[in-house]
Amino acid sequence: MTPMEKAGWTPLPHSDEDLERSKSVPDTPQTRAETYRLAWNDPDFMTRRELRAVRLQLELLKPEMILAERGIRSTVILFGGARLPEPGGEAWAAKNETQKKNLEENSKYYEEARKFARLCSQQSATSYYREYVVVTGGGPGVMEAGNRGADDVGAPSIGLNIVLPHEQAPNIYVTPELCFNFHYFAIRKMHFVMRAKAVAVFPGGFGTMDEFFETLTLIQTGRMERVPVILFGKSFWKRAIDLDFLAEQGTISPGDQDIIDFVDTADEAWGIISRFYKLGE
C-alpha cells in the first residue's frame, strides 16, 4: 500500500504529485523566481524566522510519525559523555594527562553501556522491538556504545542527533531509518522522554547533566510519570553531585534523592528495571 493509499482516496492531487509537476514547467524568468516555488518546497522561505513555529511542529511530527509507523511504543534512554572512549581506544578529547588518565579509566562505562543496551534489546525482542527500544543522542562515546550494544544482538536502535557548530555525524551503529537530526534542542529532548520507560545516565559533562536534571525535574514536579532513573558509576556521581546537601539546604524535598538509583554494572541496572516493571512474572 502506498502512502497515498494509506492516507485515503481524494479527488484532489497530492502534494508529492504537484511537486513533480512543478519541476516540469518551462524554464522562464517567472518560473525561476523564488516567489514561484511551492512554499513548503522553498528552503529560503521555510528557514525564515517567522516560520519558527512551523519548523518546531515539523521537528516534533517527523520522528513521531516514523516511530509510530514502526510500532515503537516505549524506549530506554542512554545519556552519557561523548568523550568516553571504548576500552583500549584513544582518549581523543583529553586536553591534558590528567584528563587522558581519567577518560581511559572511565572507558569501562562504555563497555557497561554496551552491555546494558544488549540487555534492553534482548527484552525488546520479546515485543518484536516495540518496547524497551534503545535510544541515544546518536553521537560517539556512551551514545555509540548504546547503539552498538543493540546492534550486537541484531536489534534496532534510535539516534537523536543535533546540528552543532563543530563537525558531527551519527555513529555507525544507529539504525539508519531511525536516525534523526534536530535543530531545536527542546524538541529533541521531548522525543527522548515521550516514550521513556527508563533513563540510564553514564558519566558525562554539561550535556549529560542537562538531560539528567531535566528528567529529574519532570519527575519531581509530576510532569512525567515515575520511571527508573539510574546513574552508572557510584564513585563518579557521588563527587559530581550531592543531592543530600541539596536536601539539607531545603532546596529539594527530603526523599527527592530516592528518584535515583546508583549502580556500577549493567546487570544491576537491568535488575532495577525488571523489578520495577515486574518483567518475567
Side-chain angles (χ1 to χ4, degrees), residues 189-207:
K189 289 176 178 178
M190 284 186 66
H191 278 294
F192 270 124
V193 300
M194 281 168 63
R195 290 175 168 81
K197 274 195 170 178
V199 182
V201 188
F202 294 79
F206 289 156

Side-chain angles (χ1 to χ4, degrees), residues 99-166:
Q99 287 196 346
K100 181 176 184 295
K101 173 180 174 294
N102 288 329
L103 285 170
E104 288 174 352
E105 182 178 338
N106 285 328
S107 68
K108 61 190 175 187
Y109 296 115
Y110 180 107
E111 196 56 43
E112 289 302 325
R114 185 176 176 182
K115 182 177 180 181
F116 176 68
R118 286 199 296 265
L119 293 172
C120 297
S121 298
Q122 287 164 349
Q123 176 65 36
S124 183
T126 66
S127 64
Y128 301 98
Y129 304 114
R130 294 186 178 94
E131 306 279 358
Y132 300 98
V133 179
V134 167
V135 57
T136 80
V142 167
M143 296 173 279
E144 176 187 285
N147 298 117
R148 188 175 181 179
D151 187 68
D152 287 341
V153 293
S157 67
I158 303 165
L160 306 181
N161 274 85
I162 190 150
V163 178
L164 297 174
H166 55 273

